[in-house]
Amino acid sequence: MNKEIFLAHDNTERKKNAECFPAQPIEIADLLLAYLEQMEIDYVFGIPGGAIEPLFNAIARSSRRGGVRHILARHEAGAAFMADGYARETGKIGVCCSTSGPGITNLITGIACAYDNNIPMLVITGQPALPTFGKHPLQESACTGINTLGMLQHCTRYNSLVSHPQQFEHKLITALQRATRTPMGPVHLSIPVDVFRSPNALPAPSYDLRSLLKPSSLVDDDALETLRHLLAEAENVVFLIGVDCGEAIGSILQFAELSGAMVVTTPDGKGLVNPHHPLFRGVFGFGGHASAEALLRDKSVDLIIAVGTGMGEWNSGGWSDSLLNARLVHIDESEEHLNRTPMARFHMRGRILSIFTRLVSQLHEARQSGGIEPGQRRSSRQQPDTQDNMLAAPDKAESDATPILPQRLMHELGRLFPPTTRFLADTGNSTAWAIHYLQPNIDRRTSERRQASGTKRAPGRRKTEGGWLRVTMNFAPMGWAIGGAIGTAAANPGVPVVCITGDGSFLMNGQEISVAVAERQSVIFVVLNDQSLGMVKHGQRMAHAEQIACDLPPTDFAAMARAMGAAAHTIHAPADLLNLDIAAMCARRGPTLLDVLIDPDEVPPMNVRMRVLAGGI
């Protein structure tokens, strides 16, 4: 029998078998897992409970066939932070879950953080069985109990109760589309336990998510032409790069080089740019650099191109008039972001990658045809690298003082860890010190020569580059980076992950380190131990307010870490840090905590925040 006849015979036999033995329906919980597998989701982060038990059964079945695994958080907020970290690292949707009642309310802080930072996230929560609604069942969270659906209405892009199995598939697809369309963010489905167990009408998913969740690449040609004219007429251009430039950063930097423009970043966009790039002039906004502020205030700068930034307090310099003026051109995919800059000369909405791919292509075409390039006029304005002059106190970054100065700590963290390290800086002083002083010794190329043309992505994937530094803006909960680092390590176990957090944040969410122990993750937790809520303490002093509710008792965080199974070291002085075996720490199959006793009197760079609090908007 030749191959063609054999295949035809085999297909006939398969068809007969399918008719005689039709595939059995699957539970709604298994259908959900089938869609997560289709999107190539690796993990669901959460905590089990009775109302969501069918989902965990489905996860176990998926895991046995090499599909989705569950990572057990210690608190539901930590699960949401982990899903956040996973989404930033992979560009996929982060998935977290909880049982009903307090499981859902514990999730809210992490969901709100994702909402305010445009992180795509699927939140699945359980409910008691539908017939028990209104009868006061345990942990009822529907409209007849503690209405958690109503609570989540204000911090999700889509929020719905699945009250019938036939609703599930349509509502899930709608939720996933809302999570991945701009503005991105968390979506929530609350599913009663009996609906979870219900059979689905078909044995497999009905939808192919590859087309439904594919990002749009449309570009407004008229707007692009207007932007080209503005760039051509400008003599001195500065790019302000925000966090939403992740997938397009190569094209943006390439265009900046070709057009002779300088580059500054927002605080949350800092991790997208090599700090040693010759065009980089620092961070503008919270924790930022005087060099960036001076560049935007330079009267010779006639065009400021802000890309992929929401213009909130921290990433607009407290709504500084050095940025928000008629020189501004604002490019973003989100209408919400563009609405915050009514003073801008021009707004352009569209997918950032598509816009800058076209701009780079057009510049190359102009060069090949002998046309005039704007960069030919501006190239002489490029200044030598001012990296050494950006820091507010560069001498403190080299200080041998004891206790160690936070400036020196940031300098050494950037120098000691390998170029592939992901740094996450927690809310508070950790963010301010990292934004200003952390400068990793990145040895990859400082420029992007390739013309980015986009890459194929798994369904649900949006961003392809999370950057070397991740911080959270806007909602900014303490402890976010602890869970976020665990989610990052789960997403990419091949790179070191460093979580820079404060003693207050660790006391709030430090129990999640035991998740890194259980998962054998190479996460390094760096605790800035100054025995206080540092930003509160320094803010009170700078504002001449009462010194109240900011002091913490002396705590041995190294001992706490060891009690949970992690390795730990106490750092008193720079020498203690330099004597660490960083390579062994990064190779270790488990987390390490550095309890760093920093100088408590060093004031972090937080003037932007103080100016806003004082009413100087």
Side-chain angles (χ1 to χ4, degrees):
M1 183 182 297
N2 64 34
K3 183 177 180 181
E4 287 77 11
I5 296 174
F6 173 80
L7 290 175
H9 175 75
D10 184 58
N11 288 336
T12 301
E13 290 299 313
R14 287 171 183 261
K15 185 175 180 180
K16 288 181 179 178
N17 289 335
E19 291 172 350
C20 296
F21 305 100
Q24 297 299 310
I26 59 175
E27 291 184 359
I28 292 298
D30 289 294
L31 181 61
L32 170 58
L33 267 295
Y35 274 114
L36 297 186
E37 290 173 6
Q38 191 182 114
M39 292 190 294
E40 299 180 12
I41 301 297
D42 306 287
Y43 298 101
V44 173
F45 305 91
I47 297 178
I52 203 167
E53 181 183 357
L55 176 62
F56 279 78
N57 292 337
I59 293 172
R61 291 188 283 269
S62 176
S63 181
R64 281 197 295 270
R65 61 178 178 262
V68 181
R69 269 194 59 215
H70 177 259
I71 290 183
L72 178 63
R74 305 299 179 253
H75 187 279
E76 286 86 357
F81 295 152
M82 292 172 200
D84 181 324
Y86 176 89
R88 292 181 195 236
E89 177 63 25
T90 62
K92 302 176 187 178
I93 295 173
V95 183
C96 60
C97 68
S98 80
T99 192
S100 57
I104 301 175
T105 56
N106 284 348
L107 275 174
I108 288 178
T109 297
I111 296 170
C113 178
Y115 180 85
D116 226 11
N117 286 272
N118 298 324
I119 304 299
M121 184 183 294
L122 174 63
V123 182
I124 303 293
T125 64
Q127 289 279 3
L130 278 166
T132 69
F133 278 22
K135 297 180 180 180
H136 211 59
L138 181 67
Q139 298 178 339
E140 182 183 358
S141 310
C143 59
T144 50
I146 302 299
N147 191 355
T148 55
L149 205 71
M151 297 178 191
L152 288 173
Q153 183 65 39
H154 306 286
C155 58
T156 52
R157 302 293 179 192
Y158 181 84
N159 179 45
S160 185
L161 171 74
V162 180
S163 59
H164 193 283
Q166 291 183 9
Q167 295 177 348
F168 172 74
E169 207 165 10
H170 172 72
K171 287 190 173 183
L172 174 65
I173 301 307
T174 302
L176 293 173
Q177 288 176 319
R178 299 281 180 86
T180 55
R181 294 289 185 264
T182 302
M184 293 185 289
V187 294
H188 171 234
L189 292 179
S190 189
I191 306 175
V193 64
D194 53 332
V195 174
F196 259 134
R197 294 190 179 117
S198 300
N200 187 51
L202 297 173
S206 304
Y207 293 87
D208 180 0
L209 296 180
R210 286 173 294 186
S211 57
L212 287 174
L213 303 184
K214 183 180 179 181
S216 172
S217 295
L218 295 177
V219 177
D220 185 333
D221 289 329
D222 292 338
L224 189 67
E225 191 62 26
T226 300
L227 178 61
R228 287 183 61 204
H229 280 302
L230 289 171
L231 286 163
E233 293 171 356
E235 294 291 336
N236 195 358
V237 177
V238 175
F239 277 90
L240 175 68
I241 294 175
V243 68
D244 292 333
C245 295
E247 68 170 357
I249 190 60
S251 295
I252 295 171
L253 291 179
Q254 187 179 12
F255 183 77
E257 292 174 6
L258 291 171
S259 61
M262 294 292 103
V263 170
V264 297
T265 72
T266 61
D268 50 352
K270 178 181 178 179
L272 300 177
V273 177
N274 186 331
H276 306 289
H277 195 292
L279 299 178
F280 182 60
R281 293 294 174 267
V283 174
F284 176 78
F286 179 78
H289 304 104
S291 55
E293 176 82 23
L295 182 61
L296 293 188
R297 289 197 179 278
D298 186 344
K299 299 297 185 183
S300 71
V301 173
D302 46 3
L303 207 61
I304 301 170
I305 311 291
V307 190
T309 176
M311 296 297 182
E313 177 186 330
W314 279 12
N315 50 26
S316 68
W319 305 287
S320 169
D321 58 6
S322 61
L323 171 64
L324 302 182
N325 55 60
R327 298 178 298 166
L328 179 66
V329 169
H330 194 179
I331 302 173
D332 208 288
E333 195 169 351
S334 169
E335 289 180 345
E336 289 183 11
H337 292 176
L338 296 177
N339 286 342
R340 296 172 191 151
T341 54
M343 75 298 295
R345 182 182 305 182
F346 180 63
H347 294 96
M348 183 171 184
R349 182 171 181 258
R351 187 177 176 192
I352 297 169
L353 175 63
S354 301
I355 292 169
F356 280 90
T357 298
R358 290 274 293 275
L359 286 173
V360 169
S361 177
Q362 290 171 353
L363 265 184
H364 280 305
E365 291 172 2
R367 172 175 287 181
Q368 292 170 359
S369 64
I372 298 176
E373 301 174 28
Q376 292 174 345
R377 296 196 305 271
R378 295 194 290 262
S379 59
S380 62
R381 295 182 181 273
Q382 294 192 19
Q383 304 163 12
D385 189 1
T386 59
Q387 183 68 28
D388 294 338
N389 299 324
M390 289 181 188
L391 305 182
D395 56 321
K396 291 188 176 183
E398 304 285 347
S399 172
D400 290 327
T402 300
I404 189 170
L405 302 188
Q407 298 92 326
R408 176 70 187 272
L409 173 63
M410 295 299 134
H411 172 76
E412 294 301 339
L413 291 177
R415 188 181 67 83
L416 292 172
F417 283 91
T420 56
T421 302
R422 275 39 170 178
F423 292 93
L424 290 88
D426 224 331
T427 298
N429 284 359
S430 303
T431 301
W433 290 124
I435 289 170
H436 194 92
Y437 283 96
L438 186 62
Q439 299 174 6
N441 197 13
I442 298 176
D443 59 4
R444 58 177 177 254
R445 292 175 301 171
T446 59
S447 60
E448 179 60 57
R449 299 296 180 187
R450 295 170 298 165
Q451 178 177 327
S453 57
T455 56
K456 292 183 178 179
R457 296 176 182 79
R461 182 186 296 275
R462 290 289 287 184
K463 300 174 187 173
T464 58
E465 175 61 63
W468 59 266
L469 173 65
R470 290 95 193 263
V471 298
T472 184
M473 301 278 104
N474 307 322
F475 202 66
M478 291 171 62
W480 160 84
I482 299 172
I486 293 169
T488 302
N492 193 350
V495 301
V497 178
V498 175
C499 169
I500 305 170
T501 189
D503 44 4
S505 291
F506 198 83
L507 288 170
M508 191 178 290
N509 286 289
Q511 73 280 352
E512 302 298 343
I513 194 174
S514 71
V515 180
V517 171
E519 295 294 324
R520 304 180 69 193
Q521 294 179 337
S522 300
V523 180
I524 293 86
F525 295 92
V526 181
V527 180
L528 277 59
N529 189 346
D530 59 359
Q531 298 180 28
S532 69
L533 301 176
M535 184 162 285
V536 174
K537 179 184 73 174
H538 292 295
Q540 289 173 347
R541 289 179 178 177
M542 294 170 73
H544 305 291
E546 296 285 349
Q547 289 289 134
I548 183 173
C550 59
D551 293 325
L552 298 172
T555 305
D556 189 340
F557 293 103
M560 289 177 63
R562 292 189 196 103
M564 288 187 280
H569 306 272
T570 301
I571 307 299
H572 297 276
D576 298 330
L577 198 62
L578 299 177
N579 289 331
L580 294 173
D581 188 341
I582 299 296
M585 198 182 296
C586 293
R588 182 177 182 272
R589 296 294 301 278
T592 303
L593 183 136
L594 305 182
D595 184 1
V596 187
L597 304 177
I598 63 169
D599 188 328
D601 294 322
E602 286 297 313
V603 181
M606 52 186 287
N607 287 334
V608 167
R609 178 65 177 153
M610 297 309 300
R611 179 170 58 80
V612 172
L613 288 174
I617 299 176

